[in-house]
C-alpha cells in the first residue's frame, strides 16, 4: 500500500473519506480549526452542515444515522463545544445509535493545566460512550478512526468519541489507512446456540397465547423481513416498542400495536394473559414493563438479544438467545411449525374496539371545537400516503404521533426513546432529511421542545432542507402538566408557557409558515405544507388540557392501564 506525508488534520479527513463518509455535522472553534482547514479542500467529496449549536449537530447526526443505518459523524471544538455534545451522546448511547464524534483538544503540553477551553471530555463522556480515546500524536489517527467506525457500527451500535490534541493535528507523518474488521477481546456478536433455538421452538409450538415484542434491535439488525416471516409462519400477534416502530408495517394483520406507558390497550393489558413472550431486540425498559414484579406473570420468556448485558437485567429469560436478530430469527423460523392463534388474536381485536370507542375515535375525529393532536397526526399521515419519515420531539405529541402515524417502510421513525431528550426533534429532522433526501420528513414538535433548539431553523434555511415542521402549541409543557393534573391535584407548577410568535420567527429565518387555530383551516393548511417545495412550518393551536390515553401510571402493573380519567 502506498503512503504519503500529510498532517494529522489532513489524515482525519482522508480517513473519513476512506470510510465513505458523505456528511459531517459540526461547529468550528479554535482547537479543531486545523481539521476544518483540511476539510476546506474536500468540499466536493463530503458535505459539512454548519449547525447553530453543537447539540443541533449531534442530534442531526443521530437523525442521519437512524434513517441510513450508517454512523453519523460530527465535529466540535474543545471545552464548551465538546460538553455541548454530551446530551446527544447520552441519547445515542441509550438508543443504540452509531455515531463518530471528533473533538479538537488543546495541545498535549497544556493537558491538565486548565488551559483556555480545556475540558476532560474523555473523562466526562466515558459513561455515555461505547468507546472513547484521546489522540496526542498524528500517527495514531488512521488506526483510531478505523477502530471508531468498527466499534460504533458493529454488534449493538453506539456513539464513540475521539479527542485529538491540536499538536497532533499539526504534526506530519506517512499516512496509510486500513479498515478495521476485528479487535482482539471485542466480540460484537455472540455465536448463536442452536440448542437454545430448538428449546425456544418447542415452547413456541406448544404455546396457546404467545405474544411477540419487537424493538429497535430488529431495525438495527436489518431483520424486518425475518420478523415478518416469523410472525406469518407462527400466527403470533406482534407488538412494538417506541423504537421498534416501523419494523413491521402498521397495517400488517398480526401487528397489534404499541407497548408501554401510552401504548395500546390490547398489548399492554393482555401481556399478563400470555403464556409465552418472545422478545426480539428490546430490553424490557421500565416504560414497557411497568411494575416488574407483576409483569408477564403467566409467561415463559424467550429473549433474542445481541447484548449479553441485557439478558436477565430486568426480566429473567427462560430461554435467552444471544446473537444478531437477523440470524437468530431466521434459525427460529426454520425450526417452528406453521400455526395460527385466531382466538388469541381476536382478544386483541376486541381490546382494539374498546380503545377505539373510548379514546381513538374521540382523538382522531373530535366533536369538540378545540383541535386535538391526534387529528393533526391523522391528516398529515393520510396526506403523505403513509410514506413519510416521522420525527418527533419528546412529550405528549411524541406519544400521540407514535400511536396514530402509520408506516409502510422500515427506518421511518426517528425519536428519542431512552433519554427522552426535549429539543431532539428539529435537529434530528434535519439529519433525517439529509440522510433520506428523496423522502418526505415530517417533524411533530411540542411548543416546549421546539424552543430548546429553535435556532436550528437557521440551519434548515441555509441548507434549503425541505423539512415539514408541525409545532403543536398548547402553551404548556404538556406531559408534565398531564402528570400534575392526574397525580398532583392540578397544581400546575411552572409548566405554563408564554410563547413567542413562532410564525414571525420562522419567517425571520426565511421559512414559510402558517398558523392554524380552527378546524376548517386544518386540512387545507396541512396540504399546503406537504406540497410546499422547501421547508415549511405549521403551527397548530391545540386544546390546552388535551391528555394522552391509555396510560399506565408510574409504578403500576401493565394490567392497570387507564383508558380515561
Amino acid at each position: 500500500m502506498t503512503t504519503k506525508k500529510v498532517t494529522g488534520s489532513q489524515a482525519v479527513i482522508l480517513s473519513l473519506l476512506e470510510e465513505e463518509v458523505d456528511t459531517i455535522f459540526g461547529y468550528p472553534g479554535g482547537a479543531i480549526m486545523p481539521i476544518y482547514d483540511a476539510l476546506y479542500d474536500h468540499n466536493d467529496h463530503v458535505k459539512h452542515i454548519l449547525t447553530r449549536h453543537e447539540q443541533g449537530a449531534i442530534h442531526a447526526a443521530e437523525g442521519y444515522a437512524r434513517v441510513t443505518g450508517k454512523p453519523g459523524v460530527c465535529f466540535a471544538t474543545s471545552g464548551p463545544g465538546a460538553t455541548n455534545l454530551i446530551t446527544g451522546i447520552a441519547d445515542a448511547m441509550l438508543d443504540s445509535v452509531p455515531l463518530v464524534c471528533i473533538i479538537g483538544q488543546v495541545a498535549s503540553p497544556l493537558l491538565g493545566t486548565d488551559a483556555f477551553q480545556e475540558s476532560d471530555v474523555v473523562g466526562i463522556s466515558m459513561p455515555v460512550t461505547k468507546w472513547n480515546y484521546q489522540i496526542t500524536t498524528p500517527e495514531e489517527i488512521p488506526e483510531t478512526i478505523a477502530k471508531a467506525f468498527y466499534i460504533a457500527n458493529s454488534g449493538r451500535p453506539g456513539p464513540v468519541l475521539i479527542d485529538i490534541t491540536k499538536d497532533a493535528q499539526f504534526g506530519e507523518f506517512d499516512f496509510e489507512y486500513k479498515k478495521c474488521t476485528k479487535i482482539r477481546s471485542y466480540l460484537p456478536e455472540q455465536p448463536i446456540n442452536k440448542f437454545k433455538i430448538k428449546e425456544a421452538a418447542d415452547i413456541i409450538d406448544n404455546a396457546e397465547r404467545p405474544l411477540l415484542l419487537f424493538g429497535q434491535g430488529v431495525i438495527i439488525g436489518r431483520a424486518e423481513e425475518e420478523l415478518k416471516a416469523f410472525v406469518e409462519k407462527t400466527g403470533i400477534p406482534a407488538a412494538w416498542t417506541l423504537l421498534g416502530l416501523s419494523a413491521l408495517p402498521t397495517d400488517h394483520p398480526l401487528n397489534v400495536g404499541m407497548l408501554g406507558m401510552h401504548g395500546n390497550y390490547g398489548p399492554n393489558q393482555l401481556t399478563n394473559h400470555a403464556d409465552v413472550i418472545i422478545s426480539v431486540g428490546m430490553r424490557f425498559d421500565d416504560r414497557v414493563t411497568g411494575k416488574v414484579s407483576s409483569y408477564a406473570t403467566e409467561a415463559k420468556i424467550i429473549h433474542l438479544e445481541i447484548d449479553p448485558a441485557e439478558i436477565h437485567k430486568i426480566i429473567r429469560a427462560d430461554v435467552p438467545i444471544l446473537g444478531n436478530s437477523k440470524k437468530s430469527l431466521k434459525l427460529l423460523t426454520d425450526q417452528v411449525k406453521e400455526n395460527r392463534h385466531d382466538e388469541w388474536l381476536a382478544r386483541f381485536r376486541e381490546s382494539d374496539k374498546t380503545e377505539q370507542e373510548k379514546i381513538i375515535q374521540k382523538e382522531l375525529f373530535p366533536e369538540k371545537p378545540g383541535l386535538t393532536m391526534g387529528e393533526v397526526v391523522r391528516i398529515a399521515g393520510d396526506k403523505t400516503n403513509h410514506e413519510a419519515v416521522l420525527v418527533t420531539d419528546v412529550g405528549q405529541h411524541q406519544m400521540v404521533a407514535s400511536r396514530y402515524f402509520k408506516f409502510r417502510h422500515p427506518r421511518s421513525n426517528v425519536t428519542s426513546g431512552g433519554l427522552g431528550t426535549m429539543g431532539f426533534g428539529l435537529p434530528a429532522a434535519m439529519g433525517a432529511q439529509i440522510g433520506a433526501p428523496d423522502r418526505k420528513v415530517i417533524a411533530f414538535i411540542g411548543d416546549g421542545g421546539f424552543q430548546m433548539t429553535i435556532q436550528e431553523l437557521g440551519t434548515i434555511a441555509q441548507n434549503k432542507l425541505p423539512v415539514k415542521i408541525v409545532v403543536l402549541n398548547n402553551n404548556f409543557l404538556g406531559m408534565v402538566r398531564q402528570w400534575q393534573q392526574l397525580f398532583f391535584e392540578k397544581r400546575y407548577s411552572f409548566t405554563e408557557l408564554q410563547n413567542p410568535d413562532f410564525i414571525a420567527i420562522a419567517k425571520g429565518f426565511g421559512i414559510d409558515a402558517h398558523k392554524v387555530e380552527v378546524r376548517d383551516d386544518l386540512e387545507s393548511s396541512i396540504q399546503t405544507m406537504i406540497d410546499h417545495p422547501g421547508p415549511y412550518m405549521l403551527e397548530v393551536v391545540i386544546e390546552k388540557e388535551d391528555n394522552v390515553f391509555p396510560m399506565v401510571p408510574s409504578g403500576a402493573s401493565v394490567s392497570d392501564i387507564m383508558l380515561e380519567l
Side-chain angles (χ1 to χ4, degrees):
M1 181 178 287
T2 59
T3 64
K4 59 179 178 178
K5 189 170 286 292
V6 300
T7 66
S9 58
Q10 290 171 328
V12 170
I13 306 304
L14 292 173
S15 298
L16 295 179
L17 292 174
E18 290 282 351
E19 293 291 342
E20 300 179 357
V21 171
D22 54 27
T23 306
I24 298 166
F25 303 91
Y27 203 98
I32 199 170
M33 207 176 296
I35 291 174
Y36 269 91
D37 184 68
L39 179 61
Y40 190 81
D41 295 325
H42 295 277
N43 285 334
D44 294 340
H45 301 101
V46 61
K47 179 192 302 181
H48 180 274
I49 304 297
L50 173 64
T51 59
R52 297 305 184 261
H53 191 284
E54 290 88 357
Q55 186 177 356
I58 192 82
H59 291 324
E62 287 186 273
Y64 174 92
R66 292 280 293 274
V67 298
T68 64
K70 303 191 312 186
V73 178
C74 65
F75 286 174
T77 196
S78 62
T83 58
N84 282 342
L85 295 181
I86 296 299
T87 295
I89 292 173
D91 188 274
M93 187 67 177
L94 277 170
D95 286 353
S96 304
V97 180
L99 298 179
V100 175
C101 305
I102 294 178
I103 313 297
Q105 182 57 278
V106 300
S108 53
L110 296 175
L111 291 173
T113 68
D114 296 330
F116 177 66
Q117 290 193 334
E118 182 195 0
S119 65
D120 179 10
V121 67
V122 170
I124 292 168
S125 67
M126 192 171 291
V128 292
T129 49
K130 189 176 177 183
W131 181 68
N132 65 14
Y133 187 80
Q134 185 175 74
I135 293 174
T136 57
T137 62
E139 291 81 3
E140 298 174 276
I141 288 172
E143 182 181 1
T144 303
I145 289 179
K147 283 172 109 175
F149 275 88
Y150 177 63
I151 292 169
N153 210 33
S154 59
R156 181 179 181 175
V160 301
L161 182 144
I162 304 171
D163 193 41
I164 310 178
T165 62
K166 202 165 183 179
D167 49 325
Q169 296 173 47
F170 280 122
E172 291 189 342
F173 73 110
D174 291 323
F175 176 79
E176 180 182 342
Y177 196 82
K178 294 179 182 177
K179 285 199 175 186
C180 180
T181 58
K182 185 178 181 182
I183 299 173
R184 193 175 70 176
S185 79
Y186 171 57
L187 186 64
E189 289 183 26
Q190 302 287 328
I192 297 171
N193 186 326
K194 303 289 181 65
F195 295 103
K196 292 293 183 183
I197 294 285
K198 181 65 170 65
E199 185 180 354
D202 289 342
I203 291 172
I204 292 166
D205 287 341
N206 289 296
E208 294 181 359
R209 300 178 306 281
L211 175 60
L212 185 140
L213 316 179
F214 63 92
Q216 195 188 12
V218 173
I219 297 169
I220 292 168
R222 302 183 188 274
E224 295 90 351
E225 287 302 317
E226 287 75 13
L227 173 71
K228 185 168 175 280
F230 177 80
V231 297
E232 289 178 351
K233 183 175 182 180
T234 60
I236 295 176
W240 35 272
T241 69
L242 180 65
L243 295 182
L245 183 55
S246 84
L248 188 69
T250 308
D251 60 0
H252 192 284
L254 290 167
N255 188 332
V256 295
M258 183 167 79
L259 300 159
M261 180 173 281
H262 292 288
N264 293 107
Y265 183 52
N268 276 299
Q269 188 239 352
L270 291 172
T271 291
N272 281 349
H273 295 265
D275 60 356
V276 173
I277 284 180
I278 306 109
S279 161
V280 185
M282 55 86 74
R283 57 191 178 87
F284 291 108
D285 175 78
D286 61 287
R287 282 296 197 262
V288 166
T289 64
K291 187 178 180 181
V292 171
S293 62
S294 59
Y295 179 79
T297 52
E298 299 180 21
K300 289 187 175 181
I301 306 294
I302 298 167
H303 194 174
L304 281 65
E305 172 59 49
I306 199 167
D307 186 355
E310 296 298 343
I311 299 292
H312 309 312
K313 187 173 84 173
I314 296 170
I315 300 296
R316 182 158 191 84
D318 295 280
V319 184
I321 299 174
L322 282 169
N324 179 292
S325 60
K326 189 177 185 71
K327 298 173 185 176
S328 56
L329 269 174
K330 175 69 167 61
L331 291 170
L332 190 56
T333 303
D334 290 343
Q335 285 283 329
V336 294
K337 297 174 182 175
E338 288 195 27
N339 208 341
R340 294 174 66 92
H341 296 279
D342 294 340
E343 290 185 12
W344 173 233
L345 181 62
R347 294 177 65 177
F348 288 88
R349 298 311 174 204
E350 283 299 314
S351 295
D352 290 346
K353 290 178 184 177
T354 302
E355 186 176 349
Q356 182 76 28
E357 178 186 339
K358 288 184 175 292
I359 298 168
I360 297 174
Q361 183 68 23
K362 298 172 185 176
E363 180 70 25
L364 300 189
F365 301 95
E367 296 178 356
K368 54 191 176 183
L371 296 173
T372 66
M373 294 176 280
E375 65 181 314
V376 181
V377 171
R378 171 183 61 82
I379 295 169
D382 289 345
K383 293 291 184 185
T384 55
N385 198 30
H386 313 299
E387 300 280 349
V389 175
L390 170 70
V391 182
T392 56
D393 206 81
V394 170
Q396 286 181 312
H397 72 277
Q398 177 190 31
M399 297 295 101
V400 170
S402 300
R403 283 170 52 80
Y404 299 129
F405 209 77
K406 294 181 173 60
F407 300 93
R408 291 184 174 149
H409 307 291
R411 296 194 178 275
S412 295
N413 174 49
V414 178
T415 196
S416 171
L419 198 63
T421 305
M422 289 179 68
F424 172 90
L426 189 62
M430 302 185 317
Q433 187 69 80
I434 291 166
D438 298 327
R439 298 187 68 186
K440 292 280 188 190
V441 174
I442 300 183
F444 286 94
I445 306 174
D447 48 325
F450 186 52
Q451 292 177 78
M452 289 192 171
T453 48
I454 195 170
Q455 69 276 0
E456 298 307 332
L457 289 173
T459 309
I460 289 171
Q462 181 172 347
N463 292 278
K464 299 179 175 59
L465 301 174
V467 177
K468 312 307 177 191
I469 305 155
V470 182
V471 178
L472 296 170
N473 183 3
N474 59 6
N475 291 101
F476 264 117
L477 300 176
M479 188 62 87
V480 183
R481 184 214 54 76
Q482 178 170 334
W483 280 54
Q484 288 174 335
Q485 178 184 351
L486 296 178
F487 308 117
F488 292 88
E489 301 176 340
K490 291 191 176 182
R491 291 161 58 88
Y492 295 152
S493 179
F494 301 101
T495 47
E496 190 161 9
L497 297 169
Q498 179 178 318
N499 287 328
D501 185 340
F502 291 129
I503 303 303
I505 290 172
K507 290 185 175 180
F509 281 107
I511 294 174
D512 284 346
H514 179 67
K515 184 174 184 176
V516 175
E517 299 182 81
V518 295
R519 186 163 289 116
D520 288 345
D521 189 27
L522 180 60
E523 188 165 345
S524 61
S525 297
I526 291 176
Q527 187 66 62
T528 298
M529 175 186 73
I530 299 298
D531 293 340
H532 189 75
Y536 195 96
M537 192 197 81
L538 188 68
E539 177 189 357
V540 183
V541 178
I542 58 171
E543 287 201 332
K544 289 176 74 73
E545 294 186 305
D546 192 12
N547 289 326
V548 185
F549 285 101
M551 180 177 183
V552 179
S554 181
S557 167
V558 289
S559 299
D560 298 327
I561 186 167
M562 300 165 54
L563 287 170
E564 53 196 352
L565 287 173

